[in-house]
Amino acid sequence: MKRKGLLFYLKLYCKILAQDLKSKMSYRADFIISTIGMIFTNIAGFVSFWILFRNFSTINGWGYYEMLFLYGFSLVSLTPAQCFFDNNWSLRQYVYSGDFIKYCFRPINLFFYYQSEVFDIKGLGQLAFGLGTIIYSWIKLGLGFTPLMLIKMIVFLITASLVMIALQTAAAATCFWIHNSFFVLDLAFRFKDYAKYPITIFSSVFRFIFTFIMPIAFIAYYPSLVILRPDEVPLLSWLSPLFGIAFFYIAYRIWMYGAMKYNGTGS
Amino acid sequence: MNLKKYLSLTRAGIMESLQFRMSTVIIFVGNLLYLIVVYFLWKAIYASSGQEVVNGMTFSDTLIYLVLATALFNFMEMYAVWEIGRAIQSGKIVLDLIKPMKYRTYLFWSYSGSFVVNFFATLFPTFIVVCFVTHGAIPLGLNLLYFVISVVLAVMINYNIDFFVGTICLYTESIWGINIMKQVIVLLLSGATIPIAFFPETIRNIVYYLPFQSIYNAPLTLLLGKSPELKDTAIVIGTQLIWFLITYAISRLFWKISLPQITVNGG
């Protein structure tokens, strides 16, 4: 069989996306409420920083606007996981009911086909809020602006987003082995809340854990240092794109391994 | 009143909760991680402020408050909004409505089993650990009795709010969005994420007039109160009682008005 090219998959994605949006449009109220709910959670995060910094001027050498920058960075880099990989949340039910088998009979990449089926629009509200937060804190911090910074920003945002995608995909894949995997996924989803804190507040043991075992430090902290503190960028920051790709590849392999092992339920 | 039929629901709930031991372990790990993050975050905050006491709370006060708030959250969270929303969407609600018991009573008692399990699995152990680790930061006296009364009221206020929000699902067909909004508002305004003592004064005054602080802040204040005066205790519990009656009346009335609206497709 001929290997399908990138262009083929891109075209296919647009077609599937159009179908998905059509079906979403029939639940317009749900879409509006979900988007508002999403923005609500983001505002709550913003407000809790605001309250904290009313009482304290810095946290571990990090000012209010620097923390906001981290927060905005984490929101934007979480968006792709939210928008494109939301079907991970349903994987458990498909596997349990046996419906997952329908994905196994298509002559295209299984992982691609499964994830392409759902596009979560409410993630766009988060993207807008995150971008707004980044721009606001960027201006307040007076970081300056060069085209190179913009390119760096885009590259690091994309690779940072791979980390969250990897965490969520690996967590979802556990359903191939254990039954009630909702809680594993929920646990991974809660990690995103911890990504907005600078890793330097933790003791060295947890710094290690949050860098290499549960790599939440790569969602916002390491990549955003490149823009935020350009004079003291640690090596791990420059390596973070590689880590993003590596984590994603490992998660993809785990997911595919589970899917290939899948036997169906016989129905 | 025939208590036996309610207690049989409690028993079924206990057995159901014990079926999912794996999820309990994962929830435990998740909470532990959350508490580790909270610990380091507040440690860094207090270290960089250079003060021992901020807004009348020391580091250990804040930590105990947040640890117990998390334990309370796990004890009380019933996901009733999801339960009602799903029952409406799937049509299962028809079967629940023809039971010889009011729906809101049925739902509450079917959760009572998980209260029992959660009490012994999370709240009680957390309490014991906090007692030992802090060497008596929690005074052991009459305040324990007040705390228990206060928690019972908090559970019922929380249930009323959940039931009210669940009823909204009758109109919107959206569960996720409604639930996330409720969760964000309750967690932020009840002082479960940041103790209310840290809020700026105007906001703090507003928050005290809202029902949410009766859920987490009220019982924790009573438990950690250094020198509980009978008058203060009476005010806290009285406020909770008033909020219980108000939320009960509103959520009951709303359900009564909304029930004729139900349309179930198939089911």
Side-chain angles (χ1 to χ4, degrees):
Chain A
M1 196 172 66
K2 205 173 107 241
R3 254 182 103 84
K4 313 273 196 304
L6 201 62
L7 198 68
F8 168 80
Y9 276 110
L10 202 65
K11 266 195 207 150
L12 193 63
Y13 193 84
C14 291
K15 278 195 182 136
I16 299 174
L17 176 69
Q19 294 310 317
D20 183 48
L21 288 184
K22 272 183 214 161
S23 75
K24 289 263 170 59
M25 275 317 189
S26 53
Y27 297 99
R28 214 162 291 172
D30 180 49
F31 160 64
I32 294 168
I33 294 167
S34 301
T35 309
I36 298 172
M38 198 77 186
I39 294 175
F40 249 70
T41 50
N42 299 336
I43 291 176
F46 195 98
V47 169
S48 47
F49 272 131
W50 182 76
I51 292 175
L52 273 185
F53 280 94
R54 300 269 305 192
N55 295 285
F56 309 95
S57 54
T58 61
I59 295 175
N60 207 326
W62 290 77
Y64 176 52
Y65 294 110
E66 285 179 305
M67 289 288 260
L68 278 189
F69 188 91
L70 275 186
Y71 182 49
F73 196 100
S74 74
L75 286 183
V76 175
S77 73
L78 293 171
T79 303
Q82 181 75 44
C83 282
F84 300 114
F85 293 85
D86 203 46
N87 216 15
N88 269 330
W89 287 92
S90 316
L91 185 63
R92 180 173 56 98
Q93 281 118 0
Y94 282 118
V95 166
Y96 182 75
S97 67
D99 288 337
F100 185 74
I101 206 79
K102 81 171 183 191
Y103 297 98
C104 303
F105 293 127
R106 299 284 190 278
I108 49 174
N109 184 299
L110 179 60
F111 182 71
F112 167 82
Y113 179 51
Y114 183 77
Q115 304 293 356
S116 67
E117 233 187 22
V118 170
F119 178 84
D120 189 30
I121 327 171
K122 63 178 180 285
L124 295 177
Q126 173 165 309
L127 179 69
F129 192 89
L131 282 177
T133 310
I134 290 181
I135 293 167
Y136 172 70
S137 53
W138 191 309
I139 293 169
K140 286 284 180 182
L141 285 167
L143 289 171
F145 182 79
T146 57
L148 183 66
M149 278 174 100
L150 188 67
I151 294 170
K152 268 189 202 163
M153 190 73 187
I154 292 170
V155 169
F156 279 86
L157 270 174
I158 291 172
T159 49
S161 71
L162 287 176
V163 176
M164 187 62 203
I165 294 170
L167 279 172
Q168 200 174 305
T169 304
T174 55
C175 76
F176 291 116
W177 292 278
I178 59 176
H179 266 301
N180 198 353
S181 77
F182 169 78
F183 294 100
V184 183
L185 198 51
D186 195 49
L187 181 70
F189 191 63
R190 279 173 60 180
F191 282 170
K192 76 180 168 54
D193 296 331
Y194 313 146
K196 63 187 180 218
Y197 301 120
I199 190 97
T200 46
I201 63 171
F202 298 107
S203 71
S204 51
V205 175
F206 286 101
R207 239 181 269 181
F208 179 81
I209 290 176
F210 289 140
T211 304
F212 297 108
I213 299 172
M214 291 178 276
I216 53 173
F218 287 107
I219 296 174
Y221 175 73
Y222 285 122
S224 62
L225 275 184
V226 171
I227 303 289
L228 208 49
R229 296 189 169 174
D231 305 327
E232 36 172 321
V233 184
L235 183 65
L236 275 175
S237 291
W238 295 118
L239 290 179
S240 67
L242 291 180
F243 274 96
I245 293 166
F247 283 127
F248 177 74
Y249 184 74
I250 294 169
Y252 169 73
R253 279 283 146 208
I254 295 173
W255 199 96
M256 284 301 259
Y257 179 70
M260 287 302 157
K261 257 187 46 164
Y262 183 64
N263 287 327
T265 52
S267 55
Chain B
M1 196 171 79
N2 188 356
L3 201 63
K4 212 177 144 197
K5 65 179 178 185
Y6 299 118
L7 289 180
S8 64
L9 283 172
T10 310
R11 227 191 68 190
I14 294 175
M15 284 157 80
E16 196 184 337
S17 302
L18 292 177
Q19 266 300 311
F20 296 104
R21 278 172 300 242
M22 185 66 183
S23 59
T24 316
V25 173
I26 295 165
I27 290 173
F28 177 76
V29 173
N31 285 328
L32 203 63
L33 264 175
Y34 171 74
L35 291 177
I36 288 166
V37 172
V38 165
Y39 169 79
F40 282 112
L41 177 68
W42 284 91
K43 204 177 155 193
I45 289 173
Y46 270 89
S48 32
S49 80
Q51 286 166 290
E52 283 279 300
V53 182
V54 182
N55 289 319
M57 288 180 93
T58 62
F59 171 59
S60 59
D61 283 345
T62 312
L63 203 63
I64 294 169
Y65 183 100
L66 289 171
V67 168
L68 289 176
T70 311
L72 267 184
F73 172 78
N74 286 298
F75 170 68
M76 286 201 259
E77 186 58 38
M78 314 191 265
Y79 302 101
V81 178
W82 280 102
E83 186 74 35
I84 299 169
R86 283 219 196 93
I88 291 166
Q89 278 185 356
S90 70
K92 176 182 169 284
I93 195 153
V94 174
L95 295 175
D96 295 336
L97 286 173
I98 56 173
K99 286 201 168 65
M101 197 185 284
K102 283 211 182 75
Y103 182 60
R104 61 177 296 137
T105 321
Y106 164 73
L107 197 62
F108 184 81
W109 283 94
S110 61
Y111 276 115
S112 61
S114 68
F115 285 144
V116 176
V117 173
N118 286 344
F119 177 78
F120 288 109
T122 60
L123 191 58
F124 192 62
T126 315
F127 182 79
I128 297 291
V129 169
V130 169
C131 268
F132 270 102
V133 170
T134 59
H135 302 294
I138 303 174
L140 300 173
L142 260 184
N143 59 333
L144 287 181
L145 178 69
Y146 301 144
F147 177 68
V148 171
I149 297 170
S150 184
V151 166
V152 171
L153 282 168
V155 164
M156 294 197 290
I157 294 170
N158 192 35
Y159 179 67
N160 286 338
I161 293 175
D162 264 22
F163 199 82
F164 179 84
V165 175
T167 314
I168 301 178
C169 292
L170 278 176
Y171 299 93
T172 60
E173 297 175 353
S174 164
I175 313 174
W176 189 91
I178 296 279
N179 187 56
I180 200 90
M181 268 193 257
K182 182 221 95 185
Q183 206 170 324
V184 164
I185 293 174
V186 171
L187 285 183
L188 188 65
L189 297 184
S190 65
T193 30
I194 299 175
I196 291 183
F198 287 94
F199 286 28
E201 209 183 330
T202 34
I203 298 181
R204 193 165 59 214
N205 288 336
I206 298 169
V207 166
Y208 274 124
Y209 285 105
L210 296 174
F212 310 111
Q213 69 95 18
S214 287
I215 303 176
Y216 295 102
N217 192 50
L220 291 175
T221 315
L222 290 182
L223 182 67
L224 301 175
K226 296 259 152 59
S227 52
E229 280 190 29
L230 202 59
K231 189 176 144 245
D232 296 337
T233 312
I235 288 174
V236 173
I237 290 184
T239 316
Q240 279 190 300
L241 202 61
I242 291 167
W243 275 118
F244 165 68
L245 292 174
I246 293 173
T247 50
Y248 178 74
I250 292 177
S251 73
R252 208 185 142 152
L253 188 70
F254 187 43
W255 176 250
K256 214 172 164 184
I257 298 169
S258 311
L259 198 56
Q261 303 281 332
I262 290 188
T263 46
V264 171
N265 308 319

